[in-house]
Amino acid sequence: MSQHPPVPLGTFPTPVEPAPRLAAALGLEPDDLWVKRDDLTGPGGGGNKVRKLEWTVGAALAEGADTLVTTGAPQSNHARLTAAAGARLGLDVVLVLRGSPGGSRSGNLALDGLFGARIAWAGEVDRAALDATADEVRARLRAAGARPALIPFGGSSALAARGYADCGAELREQVPRLRTVVVALGSGATMAGLVAALGGDSVLGVDVGALADPAAAVAEFAAPLTNEEVAPEGLRVRRDQVGAGYAALTGPVTEALRLAARTEGLVLDPTYTGRALAGLRAAVRDGDIRPGEKTVFLHTGGLPGLFGHPAAVTFAEEGATAFEA
Protein backbone atom coordinates (compact mmCIF):
# COMPACT_ATOMS: atom_id res chain seq x y z
CA MET A 1 0.00 0.00 0.00
CA SER A 2 1.22 3.49 -0.89
CA GLN A 3 3.12 5.35 1.83
CA HIS A 4 2.44 8.84 0.49
CA PRO A 5 0.97 11.42 2.91
CA PRO A 6 -2.70 12.38 2.65
CA VAL A 7 -3.54 15.75 1.13
CA PRO A 8 -5.32 18.05 3.63
CA LEU A 9 -8.93 18.65 2.54
CA GLY A 10 -11.12 18.54 5.64
CA THR A 11 -11.32 20.02 9.12
CA PHE A 12 -10.69 17.42 11.82
CA PRO A 13 -11.54 16.18 14.33
CA THR A 14 -15.23 16.57 13.60
CA PRO A 15 -17.39 17.22 16.65
CA VAL A 16 -19.38 14.68 18.62
CA GLU A 17 -22.70 16.00 19.88
CA PRO A 18 -25.17 14.58 22.40
CA ALA A 19 -28.61 13.60 21.08
CA PRO A 20 -30.74 13.14 24.21
CA ARG A 21 -34.17 13.70 22.63
CA LEU A 22 -33.44 11.29 19.80
CA ALA A 23 -32.05 8.77 22.29
CA ALA A 24 -35.25 8.88 24.35
CA ALA A 25 -37.39 8.52 21.22
CA LEU A 26 -35.42 5.40 20.27
CA GLY A 27 -35.82 3.83 23.72
CA LEU A 28 -32.32 4.62 25.01
CA GLU A 29 -31.24 6.63 28.04
CA PRO A 30 -30.78 10.36 27.27
CA ASP A 31 -26.98 10.24 27.62
CA ASP A 32 -26.54 7.00 25.63
CA LEU A 33 -26.54 8.46 22.10
CA TRP A 34 -24.01 10.76 20.43
CA VAL A 35 -23.74 11.97 16.83
CA LYS A 36 -20.36 12.12 15.11
CA ARG A 37 -20.74 15.04 12.71
CA ASP A 38 -18.86 13.87 9.65
CA ASP A 39 -21.34 15.90 7.64
CA LEU A 40 -19.16 18.84 8.78
CA THR A 41 -15.87 17.71 7.24
CA GLY A 42 -15.34 20.81 5.14
CA PRO A 43 -15.35 21.29 1.35
CA GLY A 44 -18.18 20.71 -1.09
CA GLY A 45 -20.96 20.41 1.46
CA GLY A 46 -19.07 17.90 3.61
CA GLY A 47 -19.54 14.20 4.17
CA ASN A 48 -17.62 11.01 4.77
CA LYS A 49 -15.99 10.93 1.33
CA VAL A 50 -13.67 13.80 2.32
CA ARG A 51 -11.64 11.59 4.67
CA LYS A 52 -11.23 9.01 1.90
CA LEU A 53 -10.32 11.57 -0.73
CA GLU A 54 -7.49 12.91 1.40
CA TRP A 55 -5.75 9.57 0.82
CA THR A 56 -6.82 8.71 -2.73
CA VAL A 57 -6.22 12.20 -4.11
CA GLY A 58 -2.97 12.33 -2.17
CA ALA A 59 -1.88 9.22 -4.05
CA ALA A 60 -2.93 10.77 -7.36
CA LEU A 61 -0.88 13.89 -6.68
CA ALA A 62 2.12 11.81 -5.65
CA GLU A 63 1.91 10.11 -9.06
CA GLY A 64 1.84 13.47 -10.89
CA ALA A 65 -1.85 13.54 -11.84
CA ASP A 66 -3.45 16.73 -13.12
CA THR A 67 -6.93 15.24 -13.69
CA LEU A 68 -9.21 13.15 -11.49
CA VAL A 69 -11.61 10.63 -13.02
CA THR A 70 -14.22 8.77 -11.01
CA THR A 71 -17.50 6.93 -11.50
CA GLY A 72 -20.95 6.90 -9.94
CA ALA A 73 -24.62 7.76 -10.31
CA PRO A 74 -25.95 11.30 -10.80
CA GLN A 75 -26.77 11.54 -7.08
CA SER A 76 -23.29 10.34 -6.03
CA ASN A 77 -21.94 12.10 -2.93
CA HIS A 78 -18.50 10.78 -3.83
CA ALA A 79 -18.61 12.32 -7.30
CA ARG A 80 -19.70 15.67 -5.83
CA LEU A 81 -16.86 15.71 -3.32
CA THR A 82 -14.31 14.59 -5.92
CA ALA A 83 -15.38 17.61 -7.97
CA ALA A 84 -14.99 19.84 -4.90
CA ALA A 85 -11.54 18.40 -4.11
CA GLY A 86 -10.44 19.03 -7.68
CA ALA A 87 -11.63 22.64 -7.50
CA ARG A 88 -9.78 23.21 -4.22
CA LEU A 89 -6.54 21.71 -5.56
CA GLY A 90 -6.66 23.13 -9.09
CA LEU A 91 -7.19 19.75 -10.77
CA ASP A 92 -9.49 18.97 -13.66
CA VAL A 93 -12.28 16.49 -12.85
CA VAL A 94 -14.21 14.19 -15.16
CA LEU A 95 -17.16 12.30 -13.67
CA VAL A 96 -18.28 9.15 -15.50
CA LEU A 97 -21.92 8.81 -14.51
CA ARG A 98 -24.71 6.34 -15.25
CA GLY A 99 -27.62 7.71 -17.24
CA SER A 100 -27.97 10.41 -19.84
CA PRO A 101 -28.16 14.22 -19.92
CA GLY A 102 -31.44 15.55 -18.56
CA GLY A 103 -32.31 12.30 -16.85
CA SER A 104 -31.72 13.57 -13.31
CA ARG A 105 -32.47 16.65 -11.23
CA SER A 106 -30.02 15.56 -8.54
CA GLY A 107 -28.89 18.04 -5.92
CA ASN A 108 -25.41 16.54 -6.19
CA LEU A 109 -25.40 16.93 -9.98
CA ALA A 110 -26.09 20.65 -9.62
CA LEU A 111 -23.05 20.98 -7.37
CA ASP A 112 -20.91 18.94 -9.77
CA GLY A 113 -21.59 21.60 -12.37
CA LEU A 114 -20.98 24.43 -9.95
CA PHE A 115 -17.54 23.01 -9.10
CA GLY A 116 -16.68 22.86 -12.81
CA ALA A 117 -16.55 19.09 -13.31
CA ARG A 118 -17.01 17.67 -16.79
CA ILE A 119 -19.42 14.75 -17.13
CA ALA A 120 -19.18 11.71 -19.39
CA TRP A 121 -22.59 10.04 -19.52
CA ALA A 122 -22.30 6.26 -19.80
CA GLY A 123 -25.97 5.38 -20.34
CA GLU A 124 -27.96 2.86 -18.31
CA VAL A 125 -25.10 0.43 -17.75
CA ASP A 126 -23.90 -2.02 -15.13
CA ARG A 127 -20.80 -1.54 -13.02
CA ALA A 128 -18.47 -3.33 -15.47
CA ALA A 129 -19.59 -1.16 -18.38
CA LEU A 130 -19.30 1.97 -16.23
CA ASP A 131 -15.70 1.04 -15.39
CA ALA A 132 -15.00 0.36 -19.08
CA THR A 133 -16.28 3.83 -19.97
CA ALA A 134 -13.98 5.33 -17.32
CA ASP A 135 -11.04 3.49 -18.90
CA GLU A 136 -11.98 4.94 -22.30
CA VAL A 137 -12.19 8.44 -20.83
CA ARG A 138 -8.75 8.10 -19.26
CA ALA A 139 -7.29 6.91 -22.56
CA ARG A 140 -8.73 9.94 -24.37
CA LEU A 141 -7.38 12.27 -21.68
CA ARG A 142 -3.90 10.76 -21.96
CA ALA A 143 -4.03 11.10 -25.75
CA ALA A 144 -4.80 14.81 -25.26
CA GLY A 145 -1.74 15.22 -23.01
CA ALA A 146 -3.41 15.05 -19.59
CA ARG A 147 -2.25 12.92 -16.66
CA PRO A 148 -5.46 11.33 -15.32
CA ALA A 149 -5.80 9.32 -12.12
CA LEU A 150 -8.73 7.03 -11.41
CA ILE A 151 -10.38 7.54 -8.00
CA PRO A 152 -12.21 4.29 -7.11
CA PHE A 153 -15.99 3.87 -7.20
CA GLY A 154 -17.51 5.34 -4.05
CA GLY A 155 -14.03 6.48 -3.07
CA SER A 156 -13.56 3.05 -1.50
CA SER A 157 -10.35 1.06 -1.28
CA ALA A 158 -8.04 -0.16 1.45
CA LEU A 159 -6.10 3.09 1.05
CA ALA A 160 -9.26 5.19 1.39
CA ALA A 161 -10.25 3.25 4.51
CA ARG A 162 -7.31 4.85 6.31
CA GLY A 163 -9.42 7.97 6.58
CA TYR A 164 -11.91 6.10 8.74
CA ALA A 165 -9.23 4.44 10.80
CA ASP A 166 -8.36 8.05 11.70
CA CYS A 167 -12.02 8.68 12.51
CA GLY A 168 -12.05 5.64 14.78
CA ALA A 169 -9.04 7.04 16.64
CA GLU A 170 -10.91 10.33 17.11
CA LEU A 171 -13.89 8.46 18.54
CA ARG A 172 -11.75 6.58 21.06
CA GLU A 173 -10.72 9.96 22.47
CA GLN A 174 -14.10 11.67 22.19
CA VAL A 175 -16.40 8.95 23.56
CA PRO A 176 -14.86 6.90 26.38
CA ARG A 177 -16.49 3.50 26.91
CA LEU A 178 -17.93 3.56 23.40
CA ARG A 179 -19.87 0.37 22.71
CA THR A 180 -21.22 0.72 19.14
CA VAL A 181 -20.77 3.03 16.16
CA VAL A 182 -23.68 2.83 13.71
CA VAL A 183 -22.85 3.71 10.10
CA ALA A 184 -24.43 3.41 6.67
CA LEU A 185 -22.74 0.64 4.67
CA GLY A 186 -22.42 1.45 0.99
CA SER A 187 -19.19 0.73 -0.89
CA GLY A 188 -17.45 -0.45 2.28
CA ALA A 189 -14.40 1.66 3.13
CA THR A 190 -16.02 3.80 5.83
CA MET A 191 -17.03 0.79 7.89
CA ALA A 192 -13.71 -0.93 7.09
CA GLY A 193 -11.65 1.87 8.59
CA LEU A 194 -13.80 1.95 11.70
CA VAL A 195 -13.49 -1.84 12.06
CA ALA A 196 -9.71 -1.57 11.76
CA ALA A 197 -9.55 1.08 14.49
CA LEU A 198 -12.27 -0.09 16.89
CA GLY A 199 -12.75 -3.81 16.21
CA GLY A 200 -15.54 -5.58 14.36
CA ASP A 201 -17.69 -6.00 17.45
CA SER A 202 -17.89 -2.22 17.96
CA VAL A 203 -19.19 -1.26 14.50
CA LEU A 204 -22.71 -1.86 13.17
CA GLY A 205 -23.07 -1.32 9.43
CA VAL A 206 -26.52 -0.79 7.93
CA ASP A 207 -26.57 -1.99 4.32
CA VAL A 208 -28.00 0.55 1.84
CA GLY A 209 -28.13 -1.82 -1.12
CA ALA A 210 -25.15 -0.49 -3.10
CA LEU A 211 -23.32 -3.85 -3.29
CA ALA A 212 -24.42 -7.45 -3.53
CA ASP A 213 -22.03 -8.48 -0.73
CA PRO A 214 -21.07 -5.44 1.35
CA ALA A 215 -19.57 -7.46 4.22
CA ALA A 216 -17.03 -8.99 1.84
CA ALA A 217 -16.00 -5.49 0.69
CA VAL A 218 -15.55 -4.34 4.29
CA ALA A 219 -13.41 -7.38 5.09
CA GLU A 220 -11.28 -6.85 1.96
CA PHE A 221 -10.59 -3.19 2.76
CA ALA A 222 -10.03 -3.70 6.50
CA ALA A 223 -7.54 -6.59 6.25
CA PRO A 224 -4.53 -4.53 5.00
CA LEU A 225 -5.05 -2.09 7.87
CA THR A 226 -5.13 -4.79 10.53
CA ASN A 227 -2.44 -7.03 8.96
CA GLU A 228 -4.69 -10.02 9.52
CA GLU A 229 -7.62 -11.68 7.82
CA VAL A 230 -11.03 -10.18 8.57
CA ALA A 231 -13.92 -12.64 8.35
CA PRO A 232 -17.03 -11.13 6.68
CA GLU A 233 -19.31 -13.37 8.73
CA GLY A 234 -17.86 -11.92 11.94
CA LEU A 235 -18.93 -8.36 11.10
CA ARG A 236 -22.08 -6.73 12.47
CA VAL A 237 -24.13 -5.96 9.34
CA ARG A 238 -27.87 -5.35 9.11
CA ARG A 239 -29.46 -5.97 5.72
CA ASP A 240 -33.07 -5.30 6.72
CA GLN A 241 -33.27 -1.66 5.58
CA VAL A 242 -32.66 -2.01 1.83
CA GLY A 243 -36.34 -2.35 0.95
CA ALA A 244 -37.04 -2.22 -2.79
CA GLY A 245 -33.48 -1.12 -3.54
CA TYR A 246 -30.79 1.52 -3.24
CA ALA A 247 -32.85 4.38 -4.72
CA ALA A 248 -36.16 3.48 -3.04
CA LEU A 249 -37.61 5.50 -0.17
CA THR A 250 -38.91 3.10 2.49
CA GLY A 251 -41.38 3.57 5.33
CA PRO A 252 -38.78 3.07 8.08
CA VAL A 253 -36.51 5.63 6.38
CA THR A 254 -39.24 8.28 6.18
CA GLU A 255 -39.88 7.73 9.89
CA ALA A 256 -36.15 8.07 10.59
CA LEU A 257 -35.87 11.30 8.58
CA ARG A 258 -38.75 12.85 10.49
CA LEU A 259 -37.53 11.59 13.87
CA ALA A 260 -34.02 13.01 13.51
CA ALA A 261 -35.34 16.34 12.22
CA ARG A 262 -37.98 16.81 14.91
CA THR A 263 -35.98 15.66 17.92
CA GLU A 264 -32.52 17.12 17.17
CA GLY A 265 -32.84 19.34 14.09
CA LEU A 266 -30.66 16.85 12.18
CA VAL A 267 -31.19 16.50 8.44
CA LEU A 268 -30.56 13.00 7.06
CA ASP A 269 -30.65 11.78 3.47
CA PRO A 270 -32.97 9.03 2.16
CA THR A 271 -30.27 6.66 0.89
CA TYR A 272 -27.50 6.52 3.50
CA THR A 273 -28.03 8.24 6.85
CA GLY A 274 -31.78 7.69 6.78
CA ARG A 275 -31.25 3.96 6.41
CA ALA A 276 -28.54 4.02 9.07
CA LEU A 277 -30.90 5.58 11.62
CA ALA A 278 -33.68 3.17 10.64
CA GLY A 279 -31.21 0.37 11.28
CA LEU A 280 -30.23 1.84 14.65
CA ARG A 281 -33.89 2.03 15.59
CA ALA A 282 -34.40 -1.62 14.61
CA ALA A 283 -31.27 -2.63 16.54
CA VAL A 284 -32.67 -1.05 19.71
CA ARG A 285 -35.98 -2.85 19.19
CA ASP A 286 -34.36 -6.28 18.85
CA GLY A 287 -31.83 -5.76 21.66
CA ASP A 288 -28.64 -5.55 19.58
CA ILE A 289 -28.16 -2.03 20.99
CA ARG A 290 -29.22 -1.63 24.62
CA PRO A 291 -29.92 1.21 27.05
CA GLY A 292 -26.97 2.05 29.28
CA GLU A 293 -24.41 1.57 26.49
CA LYS A 294 -22.61 4.40 24.68
CA THR A 295 -23.71 4.48 21.03
CA VAL A 296 -22.48 6.82 18.30
CA PHE A 297 -24.47 7.51 15.14
CA LEU A 298 -22.02 8.47 12.38
CA HIS A 299 -23.59 11.25 10.30
CA THR A 300 -21.91 10.80 6.93
CA GLY A 301 -23.55 13.78 5.21
CA GLY A 302 -25.43 13.57 1.92
CA LEU A 303 -27.76 16.57 2.28
CA PRO A 304 -27.83 17.29 -1.51
CA GLY A 305 -29.15 13.76 -2.02
CA LEU A 306 -32.31 14.70 -0.12
CA PHE A 307 -33.09 17.49 -2.58
CA GLY A 308 -32.41 15.20 -5.54
CA HIS A 309 -34.91 12.55 -4.36
CA PRO A 310 -38.43 13.56 -5.50
CA ALA A 311 -40.25 11.17 -3.15
CA ALA A 312 -38.27 12.40 -0.15
CA VAL A 313 -38.87 16.05 -1.04
CA THR A 314 -42.61 15.41 -1.37
CA PHE A 315 -42.68 13.61 1.97
CA ALA A 316 -40.76 16.43 3.68
CA GLU A 317 -42.96 19.17 2.22
CA GLU A 318 -46.11 17.38 3.36
CA GLY A 319 -44.85 17.70 6.94
CA ALA A 320 -45.48 21.46 6.87
CA THR A 321 -49.02 21.88 8.13
CA ALA A 322 -51.15 24.98 7.59
CA PHE A 323 -51.25 27.55 10.37
CA GLU A 324 -54.69 28.19 11.77
CA ALA A 325 -55.21 30.92 14.36
Side-chain angles (χ1 to χ4, degrees), residues 1-2 4 6 38 48-57 59 78 151-170 172 183 185 187-198 203 216-226 230 298:
M1 189 181 296
S2 174
H4 68 85
D38 264 27
N48 65 318
K49 307 300 183 179
V50 173
R51 290 187 190 266
K52 302 178 185 181
L53 285 163
E54 289 199 329
W55 287 94
T56 54
V57 175
H78 163 66
I151 306 299
F153 177 83
S156 286
S157 63
L159 176 62
R162 288 187 177 190
Y164 272 88
D166 293 339
C167 180
E170 290 176 17
R172 281 199 304 269
V183 62
L185 172 52
S187 51
T190 299
M191 182 174 175
L194 293 171
V195 166
L198 301 172
V203 185
V218 172
E220 176 187 348
F221 297 148
L225 304 183
T226 61
V230 176
L298 182 62

Side-chain angles (χ1 to χ4, degrees), residues 135 137-148:
D135 289 340
V137 165
R138 291 167 67 207
R140 289 166 56 191
L141 286 165
R142 283 192 292 265
R147 300 186 302 277

Side-chain angles (χ1 to χ4, degrees), residues 197-265:
L198 301 172
D201 191 51
S202 295
V203 185
L204 174 61
V206 182
D207 180 22
V208 305
L211 299 178
D213 190 355
V218 172
E220 176 187 348
F221 297 148
L225 304 183
T226 61
N227 294 316
E228 58 186 33
E229 185 176 352
V230 176
E233 60 273 15
L235 298 171
R236 293 173 68 189
V237 174
R238 294 192 75 100
R239 308 202 69 182
D240 57 346
Q241 300 302 322
V242 174
Y246 176 81
L249 180 66
T250 70
V253 169
T254 59
E255 293 171 12
L257 296 179
R258 181 164 46 209
L259 189 64
R262 296 187 181 183
T263 58
E264 301 292 347

Side-chain angles (χ1 to χ4, degrees), residues 12 14-17 19 22 33-41 45-51 77 80 164 167 171 181-184 190 194 256-257 260-261 264-270 272-274 276-277 280 296-304 306:
F12 304 112
T14 54
V16 172
E17 300 174 347
L22 179 56
L33 183 63
W34 299 76
V35 181
K36 176 68 165 165
R37 297 296 303 273
D38 264 27
D39 56 322
L40 304 178
T41 48
N48 65 318
K49 307 300 183 179
V50 173
R51 290 187 190 266
N77 293 312
R80 179 243 310 171
Y164 272 88
C167 180
L171 283 169
V181 181
V182 180
V183 62
T190 299
L194 293 171
L257 296 179
E264 301 292 347
L266 284 174
V267 182
L268 307 183
D269 80 284
Y272 294 95
T273 51
L277 184 59
L280 169 54
V296 168
F297 177 79
L298 182 62
H299 193 324
T300 52
L303 176 60
L306 172 65

